[in-house]
Amino acid sequence: MFRGAWLHYCATDEQIEAFISTDAMPEHFAKWIEGLEETEQFAGTILSDLKSAYWNAMNSYTHGGLRQISRRMVGEYVEGNYEDGEICEVLLFTGTMGLLALGQIAVLADRKDIWDEVDERLKAPA
């Protein structure tokens, strides 16, 4: 979602062409967020707030870090061992990312009605 949004709202024609020819993003994730938060669509700090709150944990779960390994060991067995709070943390993050992606689809489809509903849900307390 972040890559697509950055390419859509922030990238120059040259950066898009470079992405198409190399399959590599021209900027780093932090720059995507910085650029996106300067756009009307993502004005504010929702993206940088998400990164601050979840980046380390999600990387640890995704890339075989301590969070993933320690939650997969129970005694001598390899099986799930997640606390309710950890499950809620991941569900809240993925739900928020799903809403952001849906919002972008609504914008591209020119469906302000859907975007308005998504925006309200994103503003609602967790």
Side-chain angles (χ1 to χ4, degrees):
M1 196 283 305
F2 286 101
R3 288 173 195 239
W6 187 86
L7 287 165
H8 180 73
Y9 293 109
C10 303
T12 65
D13 289 343
E14 292 80 20
Q15 289 170 319
I16 293 169
E17 289 299 322
F19 173 71
I20 291 169
S21 66
T22 65
D23 194 24
M25 289 295 287
E27 298 285 346
H28 188 270
F29 189 76
K31 288 289 190 182
W32 304 344
I33 290 175
E34 185 180 304
L36 286 168
E37 288 184 341
E38 292 175 2
T39 68
E40 179 183 342
Q41 195 63 36
F42 291 99
T45 61
I46 187 170
L47 301 179
S48 54
D49 291 347
L50 277 169
K51 183 179 184 291
S52 294
Y54 296 104
W55 182 261
N56 290 336
M58 294 302 113
N59 274 308
S60 184
Y61 285 126
T62 302
H63 301 294
L66 182 61
R67 285 182 184 240
Q68 182 189 95
I69 293 168
S70 65
R71 273 94 176 162
R72 299 294 300 159
M73 300 297 295
V74 180
E76 296 178 11
Y77 301 98
V78 177
E79 60 185 46
N81 184 26
Y82 299 94
E83 294 180 11
D84 290 346
E86 294 166 336
I87 294 168
C88 289
E89 177 183 45
V90 171
L91 289 173
L92 181 60
F93 174 75
T94 56
T96 302
M97 293 304 301
L99 283 172
L100 286 170
L102 173 61
Q104 289 309 296
I105 292 168
V107 167
L108 293 172
D110 200 24
R111 290 291 306 270
K112 185 173 177 350
D113 58 322
I114 296 173
W115 167 251
D116 289 342
E117 186 173 339
V118 168
D119 191 41
E120 286 302 311
R121 289 179 187 233
L122 286 169
K123 291 176 183 174

